Amino acid sequence: MTQDHHDRLDRARTAAGEAGIDALLITPGAALRYLTGYDALPLERLTCLIVPSHGPVSLVVPALEEPAARASVPEGLTVTAWPETDDPVDVVAAQLRGVRRVGLDDEMWAEKVLRLRAAMPAAEQTLAGPVLSRLRVRKSGAEIDALRAAGAAIDRVHARMGEWLRAGRTEAEVARDIAAAIVAEGHRQVDFVIVASGPNSASPHHDSGERVIEAGDAVVVDIGGTIEAGYCSDETRTYAVGEPSAEFQDAYAVLQRAQQAAVRRVAPGVTSGAIDAAARDALTDAGLGEYFIHRTGHGIGVETHEEPYIMPGSAEPVEPGMAFSIEPGFYVPGRHGARIEDIVVVTEAGVELLNHRPRELQVLPVR
């Protein structure tokens, strides 16, 4: 995606100028990966991409990181390597003499923020995030293709859940098998594995532990990783090990309708709040609204969570090219919970689903 990276850097320069920012300063993290393709290590040694609103872009890196940087960044991007005896903050400041306002990476370490402030006391510091989010929120065709590939890879993992999920095993044992499969099915890394069984399924971000899965348990499995192209997957399905209670099955049927209602609501110009309301209202009407305790969705791309956020009251309209999750849930403390999550992309005509596993409650044999 080298040409894409050149285009992104050009758009970042333009967006910075329109925002009244003289230069963006980007350190290792999602923004650096997005702009250059370089997945730099976040170290005590400073790596900093300088994106001026006018003039050439440059990357300041420790000398020992120079080979990796040059192998990763777009051809023609200037790489300045600093030796151990130099102060890299001075190297950055020397390229920014006379600037009045700089936009700092949202993920920049506080130590580096303060050192840059001391080196450039006349320059106002602001966040680069609002500028870059405008570029990242609408995906290109190549980005959507990468998200499709990520979605298909995580679908393949969920398709194999019956191999691992059964009574008598611990959540942690199942999670280890899932993590191995995430890599085997096409991801370069595992980002998270949530296996939440029985009463633990009422905790949306449960840390898979040593609880032994029992017959009749509901089990929420929320998993994701990053593929080689640098884009993320995220998919949740709820399983039952043996026959669950009638109460749970009735609530799950409502959840399935709520998730479908939110997906159907997605179209260009519809607000994020209206999409959230489609799911939330369905759960509330069935007496489950108080148990839906999080937003309906989040954007996804080079990070698992990025803009836009699908949440109550948001007046932000969704636009073609936006990619985000639709993941309502219900969580009854001490008893059970469930969630259904798909990644969707807004199209000119409506919506495209990037996950295709069944959304009905999957009842697995106790064995």
Side-chain angles (χ1 to χ4, degrees):
M1 297 174 71
T2 299
Q3 186 56 49
D4 280 353
H5 292 127
H6 278 297
D7 292 343
R8 291 172 188 178
L9 288 167
D10 287 342
R11 290 190 293 126
R13 271 204 304 260
T14 300
E18 291 173 348
I21 296 174
D22 297 314
L24 304 175
L25 303 182
I26 309 300
T27 45
L32 184 62
R33 294 196 305 273
Y34 175 79
L35 290 171
T36 69
Y38 181 32
D39 192 8
L41 293 171
L43 300 170
E44 74 282 1
R45 296 180 176 95
L46 178 66
T47 291
C48 185
L49 180 71
I50 303 171
V51 185
S53 56
H54 299 90
V57 175
S58 64
L59 179 65
V60 174
V61 299
L64 75 168
E65 301 293 335
E66 181 180 6
R70 290 191 182 278
S72 300
V73 301
E75 184 177 349
L77 191 151
T78 299
V79 176
T80 302
W82 56 272
E84 294 283 83
T85 53
D86 285 2
D87 185 339
V89 172
D90 290 341
V91 175
V92 172
Q95 297 190 37
L96 295 170
R97 289 195 177 95
V99 302
R100 295 170 297 174
R101 194 163 184 249
V102 293
L104 304 184
D105 188 347
D106 291 18
E107 298 180 9
M108 187 180 291
W109 292 1
E111 174 262 342
K112 293 175 173 58
V113 171
L114 295 176
R115 289 177 63 196
L116 286 165
R117 179 178 295 169
M120 298 184 293
E124 176 192 354
Q125 293 181 336
T126 188
L127 289 174
V131 173
L132 295 179
S133 66
R134 291 167 48 199
L135 309 184
R136 290 171 55 182
V137 73
R138 292 185 65 169
K139 272 57 180 181
S140 68
E143 289 180 287
I144 293 170
D145 284 344
L147 287 169
R148 286 192 189 103
I154 208 68
D155 270 356
R156 292 193 293 272
V157 180
H158 272 290
R160 297 177 57 190
M161 206 56 59
E163 298 177 28
W164 317 301
L165 187 55
R166 59 182 177 270
R169 302 196 75 202
T170 68
E171 295 169 343
E173 287 171 338
V174 175
R176 284 193 289 271
D177 288 337
I178 292 172
I182 287 173
V183 174
E185 294 294 349
H187 296 79
R188 75 178 183 200
Q189 70 184 42
V190 178
D191 293 334
F192 56 92
V193 177
I194 296 172
V195 178
S197 66
N200 292 339
S201 63
S203 173
H205 284 174
H206 173 68
D207 187 11
S208 306
E210 295 305 316
R211 183 183 184 276
V212 176
I213 297 166
E214 300 175 359
D217 277 352
V219 185
V220 175
V221 179
D222 184 354
I223 56 177
T226 302
I227 63 170
E228 193 59 40
Y231 285 77
C232 300
S233 65
D234 187 1
E235 182 179 9
T236 307
R237 291 294 185 265
T238 300
Y239 301 86
V241 178
E243 196 71 16
S245 68
E247 175 193 7
F248 181 83
Q249 292 184 62
D250 289 345
Y252 187 88
V254 174
L255 177 63
Q256 190 178 351
R257 293 195 296 271
Q259 204 256 357
Q260 291 171 340
V263 171
R264 287 196 298 266
R265 194 72 180 89
V266 177
V270 175
T271 67
S272 296
I275 298 168
D276 179 275
R280 201 167 300 275
D281 290 351
L283 288 162
T284 299
D285 290 347
L288 293 168
E290 66 180 293
Y291 303 119
F292 181 19
I293 58 177
H294 55 73
R295 63 196 173 206
T296 291
H298 57 81
I300 191 169
V302 295
E303 290 183 285
T304 307
H305 286 201
E306 56 183 52
E307 293 189 21
Y309 294 103
I310 311 303
M311 56 192 302
S314 172
E316 177 88 16
V318 299
E319 303 173 20
M322 287 184 175
F324 48 85
S325 66
I326 298 290
E327 51 176 307
F330 65 84
Y331 312 93
V332 184
R335 298 181 63 192
H336 54 232
R339 182 164 64 256
I340 306 170
E341 177 184 21
D342 291 309
I343 302 302
V344 304
V345 174
V346 185
T347 68
E348 296 288 347
V351 62
E352 176 187 352
L353 283 150
L354 301 190
N355 297 114
H356 302 288
R357 293 299 302 158
R359 294 161 192 90
E360 295 78 17
L361 181 64
Q362 302 295 296
V363 178
L364 302 176
V366 175
R367 286 191 288 182

